[in-house]
Amino acid sequence: MDAETIRKLIETGLPGATAQVHGEDGVHFEATVVTAAFAGKLPLARHRMVYATLGDLMGGAIHALALKTLTPEEADIPGR
């Protein structure tokens, strides 16, 4: 698994989202996902939305995914 594939899956599964994904070892990744679809949702719900885009890859090809999930408004706040 590679970071670019994960980015594409997230952005395809969450239309309008932008994702930045990093991970050098092929199984542990970090992602920042920004989408208006997160508005009004708690962090757990946001994470579940991202995990849904990856399906069975979570816990398999993707051993760990650290997430930072933001709305576009939150992404523009300095210090976040």
Side-chain angles (χ1 to χ4, degrees):
M1 185 57 48
D2 63 85
E4 181 62 13
T5 299
I6 294 170
R7 182 193 65 77
K8 288 178 183 176
L9 288 168
I10 292 170
E11 290 182 354
T12 298
L14 292 171
T18 58
Q20 295 178 349
V21 182
H22 305 283
E24 302 303 321
D25 68 1
V27 292
H28 300 91
F29 298 91
E30 296 177 6
T32 299
V33 183
V34 179
T35 180
F38 292 151
K41 294 190 172 42
L42 295 173
L44 182 59
R46 293 176 179 196
H47 289 200
R48 286 180 176 160
M49 290 170 68
V50 175
Y51 295 150
T53 68
L54 302 171
D56 292 338
L57 295 174
M58 287 304 305
I62 302 170
H63 178 71
L65 177 64
L67 288 172
K68 184 173 186 178
T69 53
L70 304 167
T71 66
E73 294 77 17
E74 292 167 341
D76 288 340
I77 297 173
R80 278 202 163 205

